[in-house]
Amino acid sequence: GRQGERFGGEGAAQNRKFGGEGFKQGKKFGGGEEGFMEEDKVLSTIKKHEPKFAETLADLRETAPAEYKLVVNISRKLIEAARREGDEKLEKDAVRAVVLEYETKKLSRKYEKASDADKAAIKAELKAKLAELFDLRQVAQQVRVQRVERELAKLKKDVENRKANKDKIVQERVAQLTGEGFGW
């Protein structure tokens, strides 16, 4: 249904704010590839790349719903970013990053409660996981840099083409504005 109808009067204002009158929730927020992934799709992606963590999430869904929702939302953002790049390896890395984020948070809580004798081992494990997470983030950033560089090169080429064709572009626009050009 429409977002505004679904969330009542205040949602109707949000409907206009986030997409206009014809904006349907299913179209942008779960029904299509553009927009937010549905929870089931997030979970199936996690299960595909990290089946053991998918089981952990299933347990969290029952035992800690708020934590479950947080992990799913973080997963959604990372997986969507990876999918926009169109690279299966980045998607797998994004899921792995979610797992590492979860595990490092758990380890930090464990460290706080650990005895002095156990702290060194927990700290070493935490360091190893954070190093892996850092490497995954570096790869993702490098891919984004490469995409931006390609976009910048295309934009520079477009600017040069427009510059080279300035007279023609201006003449066409003059013709449009004076009604002397070709119309529809």
Side-chain angles (χ1 to χ4, degrees):
R2 288 184 175 215
Q3 187 179 12
E5 293 168 3
R6 185 170 178 208
F7 294 108
E10 186 177 304
Q14 287 178 341
N15 182 24
R16 285 188 299 280
K17 182 177 178 184
F18 291 114
E21 286 300 312
F23 188 77
K24 304 248 186 219
Q25 182 192 14
K27 194 87 165 166
K28 286 279 189 187
F29 291 105
E33 285 300 309
E34 50 182 308
F36 296 116
M37 291 175 70
E38 292 179 7
E39 185 175 319
D40 291 343
K41 198 166 191 174
V42 171
L43 295 174
S44 69
T45 302
I46 290 171
K47 188 173 185 177
K48 174 180 166 184
H49 297 295
E50 293 277 350
K52 187 174 179 181
F53 187 66
E55 292 173 14
T56 300
L57 279 179
D59 290 342
L60 276 180
R61 184 182 223 166
E62 301 301 319
T63 60
E67 188 175 354
Y68 165 80
K69 281 201 170 291
L70 181 66
V71 172
V72 169
N73 286 333
I74 291 169
S75 302
R76 176 181 290 122
K77 290 176 186 175
L78 291 174
I79 293 168
E80 284 176 342
R83 285 197 171 174
R84 277 192 298 272
E85 297 298 335
D87 186 342
E88 179 81 12
K89 184 186 179 316
L90 285 179
E91 180 182 278
K92 183 177 181 179
D93 287 352
V95 172
R96 181 67 185 146
V98 169
V99 172
L100 289 168
E101 285 284 356
Y102 179 77
E103 290 174 349
T104 56
K105 297 278 191 239
K106 241 173 101 171
L107 281 172
S108 72
R109 288 191 299 261
K110 185 177 177 182
Y111 182 85
E112 290 173 0
K113 298 173 184 175
S115 66
D116 289 340
D118 294 335
K119 283 189 175 185
I122 295 169
K123 198 172 188 179
E125 187 179 355
L126 185 59
K127 184 178 178 181
K129 289 184 184 297
L130 288 172
E132 183 182 354
L133 182 58
F134 180 88
D135 291 342
L136 290 173
R137 287 183 174 183
Q138 283 295 102
V139 168
Q141 283 187 333
Q142 187 60 41
V143 168
R144 283 193 299 275
V145 165
Q146 290 168 349
R147 178 182 38 82
V148 169
E149 285 174 343
R150 284 190 308 271
E151 290 172 4
L152 180 60
K154 183 184 179 307
L155 187 58
K156 283 181 177 181
K157 184 178 176 185
D158 290 348
V159 166
E160 287 303 314
N161 283 339
R162 286 183 55 80
K163 190 176 182 181
N165 292 304
K166 176 184 176 182
D167 291 337
K168 183 179 177 184
I169 293 168
V170 169
Q171 189 59 37
E172 286 176 5
R173 186 66 177 144
V174 166
Q176 284 177 338
L177 293 173
T178 59
E180 296 174 3
F182 296 106
W184 286 98

